[in-house]
């Protein structure tokens, strides 16, 4: 995926809104009230803002669908249609099999292959929409963005773009960590079965061997 040219999100035109604040003259601060108590709530994070924009874009897509769709009737197939619809706004060159640059990560020249949304952008988008659907009251077991068909489609897009662009998407391998624990082992050899063992030391002809065993466990 070309991170410099491929946005991970759906961009919308900014809307400028001007709000006139009421005059502050004549408003007195209450007794014992600190100025910080009247501050506005913290602005939403970049992720939350983008998630809201993505959700509104998807709802608008359902509204403009032919025929119009409601969120309750939305399925995984409709989500896949939405992802394909977004390809027209993509900026990632995906070479066709007949293209001479198929499988070349750095093609030496231009070609007429289409621009599409990169797999990483679609995968991140589905994650935000899945969360937004549940926050809007949707049930996790009927979440269309978590449908098996959507997961299969994303996997096919990832594998297809990897072959076309010559850039494999490899999963990050988890590092194997070894945890070393010390176990206290006591090996007691008795000379006579009738003699008692004193764990505070050696008594009655009994030899006590106190050692520390080291055990390594791989997680």
């Amino acid at each position: 995926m070309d991170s410099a040219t491929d946005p991970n999100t759906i961009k919308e035109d900014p809307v400028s809104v001007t709000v006139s604040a009421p005059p502050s003259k004549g408003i007195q601060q209450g007794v014992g009230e600190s100025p910080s108590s009247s501050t506005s709530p913290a602005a939403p994070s970049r992720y939350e803002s983008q998630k809201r924009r993505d959700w509104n874009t998807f709802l608008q897509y359902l509204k403009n669908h032919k025929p119009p769709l409601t969120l309750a009737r939305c399925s995984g197939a409709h989500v896949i249609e939405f992802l394909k619809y977004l390809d027209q706004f993509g900026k990632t060159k995906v070479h066709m099999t007949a293209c001479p640059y198929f499988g070349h990560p750095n093609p030496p020249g231009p070609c007429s292959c289409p621009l599409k949304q990169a797999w990483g952008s679609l995968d991140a988008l589905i994650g935000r929409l899945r969360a937004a659907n549940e926050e809007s009251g949707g049930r996790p077991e009927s979440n269309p963005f978590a449908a098996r068909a959507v997961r299969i489609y994303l996997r096919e897009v990832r594998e297809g773009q990897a072959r076309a662009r010559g850039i494999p998407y490899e999963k990050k391998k988890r590092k194997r960590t070894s945890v070393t624990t010390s176990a206290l082992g006591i090996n007691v050899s008795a000379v006579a079965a009738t003699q008692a063992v004193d764990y505070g030391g050696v008594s009655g002809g009994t030899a006590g061997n106190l050692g520390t065993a080291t055990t390594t466990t791989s997680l």
Side-chain angles (χ1 to χ4, degrees), residues 191-216:
V191 177
T194 57
Q195 293 178 340
V197 177
D198 182 7
Y199 291 99
V202 180
S203 64
T206 303
N209 183 14
L210 186 65
T212 302
T214 302
T215 304
T216 301

Side-chain angles (χ1 to χ4, degrees), residues 74-95:
C74 180
S75 65
H78 297 120
V79 174
I80 295 176
E81 290 180 2
F82 175 66
L83 297 180
K84 293 180 178 179
Y85 160 79
L86 295 178
D87 275 336
Q88 60 182 312
F89 309 109
K91 296 182 180 180
T92 298
K93 179 76 70 173
V94 180
H95 301 289

Side-chain angles (χ1 to χ4, degrees), residues 128-153:
R128 292 190 297 269
L129 292 176
R130 182 171 60 244
N133 181 78
E134 296 182 5
E135 292 172 1
S136 300
R139 294 180 299 176
E141 60 272 15
S142 60
N143 194 329
F145 303 100
R148 182 173 181 270
V150 176
R151 296 196 301 270
I152 293 176
Y153 175 77

Side-chain angles (χ1 to χ4, degrees), residues 32 40 43 56 59 68-69 83 86 89 119-120 136 141 144 158 167 178-179 186 190 214 218:
S40 59
N56 292 335
L59 294 180
L69 286 172
L83 297 180
L86 295 178
F89 309 109
W119 164 79
S136 300
E141 60 272 15
R158 181 189 64 188
I167 304 176
S178 59
V179 178
I186 301 177
T214 302
S218 297

Side-chain angles (χ1 to χ4, degrees), residues 18-41:
T18 303
V19 179
S20 299
S24 58
K25 183 178 180 180
I27 301 179
Q28 298 180 356
Q29 182 176 333
V31 178
E33 180 182 358
S34 61
S36 60
S37 62
S38 59
T39 58
S40 59

Side-chain angles (χ1 to χ4, degrees), residues 22-175:
S24 58
K25 183 178 180 180
I27 301 179
Q28 298 180 356
Q29 182 176 333
V31 178
E33 180 182 358
S34 61
S36 60
S37 62
S38 59
T39 58
S40 59
S45 64
R46 182 179 179 182
Y47 170 81
E48 292 296 331
S49 299
Q50 186 62 55
K51 181 173 62 177
R52 182 166 57 248
R53 288 194 297 269
D54 294 340
W55 183 245
N56 292 335
T57 301
F58 180 74
L59 294 180
Q60 187 65 35
Y61 170 81
L62 295 182
K63 183 179 179 180
N64 297 336
H65 192 274
K66 303 295 184 181
L69 286 172
T70 61
L71 187 60
R73 296 177 54 192
C74 180
S75 65
H78 297 120
V79 174
I80 295 176
E81 290 180 2
F82 175 66
L83 297 180
K84 293 180 178 179
Y85 160 79
L86 295 178
D87 275 336
Q88 60 182 312
F89 309 109
K91 296 182 180 180
T92 298
K93 179 76 70 173
V94 180
H95 301 289
M96 307 296 291
T97 53
C99 179
Y101 301 142
F102 181 85
H104 289 263
N106 297 309
C111 65
S112 59
C113 293
L115 297 175
K116 295 185 177 182
Q117 293 284 349
W119 164 79
S121 301
L122 298 179
D123 186 62
L125 172 65
I126 288 299
R128 292 190 297 269
L129 292 176
R130 182 171 60 244
N133 181 78
E134 296 182 5
E135 292 172 1
S136 300
R139 294 180 299 176
E141 60 272 15
S142 60
N143 194 329
F145 303 100
R148 182 173 181 270
V150 176
R151 296 196 301 270
I152 293 176
Y153 175 77
L154 289 176
R155 183 171 67 245
E156 292 176 349
V157 171
R158 181 189 64 188
E159 295 174 353
Q161 292 189 4
R163 291 191 300 268
R165 303 178 62 205
I167 304 176
Y169 296 98
E170 298 180 355
K171 293 183 178 180
K172 295 182 179 179
K173 297 181 179 180
R174 297 180 58 184
K175 296 181 179 180

